[in-house]
Amino acid sequence: MSETARVSAALARLLTEGGEGNRLVVTQGGAWFVVHAAPGSPLWRVEAAPRSHLPSGLRFGLEEVARLRAAGFANVAGRKPLAWSATVVTDGPEALAAKLLQWLPEVYGVPGDAPVELDARHGPALAPDNAPLADAMRACARDREMATRQALYRQLVRGTFLLPVDGGAPRVVGDLAGWPIFAVFTDHASYADWDPRLPAVDLMPGRALWGRLLAAGVGSALINPGGRLGGELYRHEVESLALAVRGVAGLGAVR
C-alpha cells in the first residue's frame, strides 16, 4: 500500500468511526499535521505544527509560514497553530492525503522519503465543564485568604480533569528534585493549547485524580500549564486533596 493510500484510509475512518473527538496526526521527520473530522461532518479541520512544537533542527520561519498561508492556512483566535478547513466533498480522503504528504516536505523541509507515522484516535470529544473551579481559581489569584484557598481545594476535588497518560500511567512532563511533575487540564482548550496533537488522556474526577497522582510519586501537578488560568500544586497539597476525599484532612469530607 502506498503512503497516500495508507493516509487516505486513515482519513476515511475519521468519517465513519468514533465521534466528535476524532483526530489523526500525520507525522514525518518530526513535522506534523493534525486532522479533525467526525462521522457526518462536511469539513476537515487541519492544524499545522507551530514552531514551539517542532524539533530544533526543523525550519519554520516567515517563508514557511507564507507557504502555509498560500495553501489557505490562517490564524485562529487564541490558538498557536495555523489552521485550514476544506469540505469533504471538494477534498476527499485521497486528495487531502496527497496534500498533507506534499506539504510536509515543502513546508517543513523534511525528507520526502522519511517514514510517515499515523496516530489516530476515534471517540467523543472530552470536554469537562469546570465553571465553578475556574471561578475559584480566579478568586484565589485575587485573594490570598485561607478561606479562598480552601474553597479552591474543595473545587479541585469536585472537578473533572484531563490527565495525559503514557502507557496507562500519568505522563511525566518534568522533574522536581527527583520527583515527577504531572500535568492536568480543566478544559479542552487548555489541553489543546498545550499540545495540539491531543495525546492520550484519561478523563478523571478529582475524587480519584489526586490519589492516583500521589500513588505515582508526584512532586508537583501543573494545572493547565502554559494556559491563561492555571497553577501548580506541590506534593503536600496533592496529598491533602487525596486525604480530603477520605475525610481525614483539614478540608473535611468533600462531596
Side-chain angles (χ1 to χ4, degrees):
M1 178 183 292
S2 70
E3 290 290 26
T4 302
R6 190 165 68 93
V7 176
S8 176
L11 289 169
R13 285 194 291 274
L14 296 181
L15 303 173
T16 59
E17 302 175 12
E20 294 182 355
N22 289 0
R23 69 99 176 100
L24 175 70
V25 184
V26 183
T27 304
Q28 186 177 35
W32 45 266
F33 289 96
V34 184
V35 183
H36 302 267
S41 171
L43 294 174
W44 305 107
R45 181 167 59 87
V46 183
E47 292 184 325
R51 183 201 302 272
S52 58
H53 287 76
L54 290 170
S56 58
L58 287 185
R59 65 175 189 243
F60 194 75
L62 294 178
E63 183 178 343
E64 288 70 43
V65 170
R67 288 176 180 167
L68 284 173
R69 292 192 183 282
F73 284 78
N75 293 95
V76 177
R79 302 280 288 122
K80 291 180 181 179
L82 294 174
W84 173 72
S85 294
T87 65
V88 173
V89 172
T90 302
D91 287 278
E94 187 172 353
L96 179 56
K99 288 183 177 180
L100 295 175
L101 295 176
Q102 175 185 340
W103 289 334
L104 283 164
E106 285 189 356
V107 172
Y108 294 101
V110 301
D113 59 353
V116 175
E117 302 173 13
L118 303 180
D119 179 18
R121 186 160 300 119
H122 307 92
L126 300 179
D129 181 5
N130 285 307
L133 173 57
D135 290 342
M137 292 171 70
R138 293 188 187 95
C140 200
R142 297 189 302 266
D143 179 0
R144 298 295 181 179
E145 294 295 326
M146 181 55 69
T148 306
R149 194 157 187 85
Q150 292 285 78
L152 171 60
Y153 286 151
R154 284 191 287 273
Q155 292 302 329
L156 286 169
V157 172
R158 292 169 177 159
T160 304
F161 299 84
L162 298 173
L163 172 67
V165 294
D166 185 4
R171 177 175 167 182
V172 177
V173 301
D175 177 272
L176 179 64
W179 296 88
I181 298 174
F182 303 114
V184 298
F185 298 89
T186 62
D187 59 272
H188 185 271
S190 296
Y191 166 52
D193 285 343
W194 178 68
D195 192 336
R197 291 165 290 186
L198 305 179
V201 291
D202 284 347
L203 182 65
M204 296 200 66
R207 295 181 60 82
L209 171 67
W210 307 112
R212 181 176 179 182
L213 296 187
L214 187 64
V218 62
S220 76
L222 301 177
I223 302 175
N224 300 335
R228 291 177 291 276
L229 183 64
E232 183 172 15
L233 298 174
Y234 293 99
R235 180 180 175 85
H236 70 279
E237 294 174 291
V238 173
E239 183 175 22
S240 293
L241 291 171
L243 291 174
V245 173
R246 292 153 50 189
V248 296
L251 291 177
V254 180
R255 294 180 171 82

